[in-house]
Amino acid sequence: MPPGILTLAADKVTLSPANTGFMLICSALVMVMTPGLAFFYGGMVRVKSVLNMLMMSFISLGIVTLLWVLYGFGLAFGTDKGHFIGWDGHFAGLSGIGLTQLWGSTTIPIYVFAVFQLMFAIITPALISGALADRVKFTAWALFIALWVTLVYFPVAHWVWADGGWLFNLGVIDFAGGTAVHINAGAAALGVILVVGKRIGFKKDPMRPHSLPLVMLGAGLLWFGWFGFNAGSWLGNDDGVGAVAFVNTQVATAAAMLGWLAYEKLRHGSFTTLGAASGAVAGLVAITPACGAVSPLGAIAVGVIAGVLCAMAVNLKYKLGYDDSLDVIGVHLVGGVAGSLLIGLFATGGVQSKAKGLFYGGGFEQLGKQAVGVVCVLVYSLVVSYVLAKVIDLVMGFRISEDEEVSGIDQAAHAETAYDFTGAGGGSAARKGPTLGEALTKKVDA
Amino acid sequence: MKLITAVIKPHRLDEVKDALQAFGVHGLTVTEASGYGRQRGHTEVYRGAEYTVDLVPKIRIEVLVEDADAEELMDIVVKAARTGKIGDGKVWSLPVEDAVRVRTGERGPDAL
């Protein structure tokens, strides 16, 4: 998948049971990131909309899985058509694939590669949902996911990762999704909120997170799953590159958490729980593209820079007046851009590929390539997402009604509420009159 | 009879309860409450956004006592609840016309 993999083709020709098992575990790890993200986001919203927040991530597991099987894998990783999109008839429905048929020049079956990549396709649109908390129709959101992965994610994944994709050909390094996943989702979030607008009460009402323990649980699951995301992106571990990616993931995340906490201690006076969770996620985002290119010391630099930068960036929404509810732009877009560009400075040339960054004697060449990748994905995702959201808004309306938003989207969209806080009551055994069962039977008879 | 109502800091509840028990009060009612006095709550920070939390958690204690005990009881509660810092709360008393013990039907001071 990452540039440079083709040079190792000679050693990777037979199915490796070790790599295959490793990749299936990595796929499962990436899968758990989506429910993890749901908790990360769910804890940050108010009590009245936590279920909707969880569901906006969870529904992606349903929709994207089916689209991926039907045509997504073919579009993203089928035979290249004009460097923009792929297609292979026998990938449609994941049919016509042999059980032991290997993916390209790797040692893992196509099925394994397809399911690993599927998990990336699932979490990317789920990331966008954080910007839309409390206020969009669930049906509109579901439709948006289906259209967005088709028109944005599948093509961009092809550009960045598929053999023949134009950014891949250019030599843009995106080890595990800095551009294809995080910049892509962050730019899309901006595009959609430009259409749907702010939450009622933005900048006026307190919108405190309802459960920081849930946020921490979600961040923990994300961190855990991210090892599959990054270490698995080398598609095997015959040469140790996957292990370096694993180490760098841990190192950068730790550094980013400390960077964010240090910034907010200086700026606001406290080491907050939300800051620790957010800093960790910012570090994970930033190291994603870079974890195969930098050394552990480089990973510390990437982490600290991303932690501080994202902590500064999350305040932009108040200054500029757009309501990116849970800071998808501040964390994923800014973190993704930081990580992608820092490759141009810190790539050692000795791990994933021979490309060297500015600080390792590589000049500005790699930095330039990274910048092209960042800008192209950002602009494409922003524009297409904006147009998609606009069309959905015109056709069916993207937002729920004002009344529903004020009284809570959980009740309106899902006919449920997350918590029952009525401690009193119950214990009606001694009450005279029909039991619930009897009352229901009577009702049916009548 | 008098109804003594005290709104205090939650962590002083045990001290106040012990002091009332030592004085010989047989029963009391405790409610979780929220509110603010002159200190006006506190500030919380989430990703750099500051939220002013006006209503802070408090404990409300209610005790029915005979007129003669009211003054002393208020002093006891005040002493037990005081930390000397801002937000310690308030204690007040109100006249009560009548009271009934639900189990026996006893009325007035007998019901306490």
Side-chain angles (χ1 to χ4, degrees), chain A residues 129-275:
Chain A
S129 69
L132 304 172
D134 306 353
R135 62 190 185 284
V136 300
K137 281 183 191 161
F138 191 65
T139 42
W141 170 246
L143 179 63
F144 178 80
I145 288 184
L147 295 173
W148 189 83
V149 289
T150 304
L151 295 174
V152 182
Y153 184 79
F154 300 157
V156 169
H158 184 81
W159 302 355
V160 175
W161 286 326
D163 193 10
W166 73 276
L167 289 176
F168 181 94
N169 284 351
L170 186 67
V172 174
I173 294 178
D174 184 0
F175 193 81
T179 46
V181 175
H182 297 288
I183 293 175
N184 203 355
L190 181 56
V192 183
I193 55 177
L194 289 177
V195 174
V196 302
K198 307 164 196 171
R199 285 169 293 179
I200 295 170
F202 177 63
K203 289 215 274 192
K204 289 196 288 274
D205 298 345
M207 295 178 179
R208 287 185 291 158
H210 92 282
S211 170
L212 288 174
L214 273 194
V215 174
M216 291 305 261
L217 171 71
L221 282 175
L222 281 170
W223 192 334
F224 177 68
W226 224 291
F227 291 121
F229 202 78
N230 286 357
S233 283
W234 195 241
L235 308 179
N237 221 348
D238 300 338
D239 48 13
V241 174
V244 172
F246 192 115
V247 170
N248 283 341
T249 303
Q250 178 66 13
V251 171
T253 308
M257 177 173 75
L258 298 182
W260 187 304
L261 285 172
Y263 173 82
E264 69 176 5
K265 176 66 180 171
L266 292 173
R267 183 83 175 64
H268 304 290
S270 314
F271 300 111
T272 70
T273 313
L274 184 58

Side-chain angles (χ1 to χ4, degrees), chain A residues 24-86:
Chain A
L24 284 172
I25 290 171
C26 284
S27 306
L29 281 170
V30 181
M31 182 273 162
V32 92
M33 291 170 70
T34 297
L37 180 79
F39 283 125
F40 180 65
Y41 282 166
M44 270 190 273
V45 295
R46 289 165 289 176
V47 168
K48 63 181 180 178
S49 52
V50 52
L51 291 179
N52 178 254
M53 204 67 251
L54 296 174
M55 275 294 277
M56 283 171 83
S57 288
F58 223 74
I59 194 65
S60 186
L61 283 158
I63 294 171
V64 179
T65 298
L66 293 194
L67 297 186
W68 185 256
V69 168
L70 294 177
Y71 61 80
F73 182 57
L75 288 179
F77 291 103
T79 308
D80 181 68
K81 311 283 180 207
H83 310 305
F84 185 81
I85 196 77

Side-chain angles (χ1 to χ4, degrees), chain A residues 44 207-209 268 278 318 326-327, chain B residues 44-51 53:
Chain A
M44 270 190 273
M207 295 178 179
R208 287 185 291 158
H268 304 290
S278 310
Y318 298 111
L326 311 181
D327 301 310
Chain B
E44 295 180 7
V45 184
Y46 298 94
R47 281 184 178 163
E50 294 191 359
Y51 295 96
V53 180

Side-chain angles (χ1 to χ4, degrees), chain A residues 263-346:
Chain A
Y263 173 82
E264 69 176 5
K265 176 66 180 171
L266 292 173
R267 183 83 175 64
H268 304 290
S270 314
F271 300 111
T272 70
T273 313
L274 184 58
S278 310
V281 173
L284 289 163
V285 169
I287 200 61
T288 292
C291 63
V294 302
S295 68
L297 283 176
I300 292 179
V302 170
V304 170
I305 293 169
V308 173
L309 210 60
C310 291
M312 293 165 79
V314 295
N315 283 314
L316 283 178
K317 65 178 177 184
Y318 298 111
K319 293 201 178 107
L320 302 176
Y322 62 87
D323 185 10
D324 172 17
S325 320
L326 311 181
D327 301 310
V328 182
I329 298 163
V331 174
H332 293 276
L333 181 57
V334 173
V337 169
S340 295
L341 293 180
L342 288 172
I343 292 171
L345 303 181
F346 290 104

Side-chain angles (χ1 to χ4, degrees), chain B residues 42-93:
Chain B
H42 59 262
T43 307
E44 295 180 7
V45 184
Y46 298 94
R47 281 184 178 163
E50 294 191 359
Y51 295 96
T52 306
V53 180
D54 267 346
L55 302 174
V56 291
K58 295 283 171 192
I59 289 287
R60 175 192 179 107
I61 303 173
E62 287 166 308
V63 198
L64 274 175
V65 294
E66 294 194 48
D67 289 337
D69 295 335
E71 272 299 315
E72 198 181 347
L73 237 153
M74 284 175 75
D75 284 346
I76 286 173
V77 173
V78 167
K79 254 183 228 156
R82 179 177 290 158
T83 67
K85 293 189 189 118
I86 205 154
D88 269 355
K90 293 243 181 328
V91 183
W92 62 89
S93 79

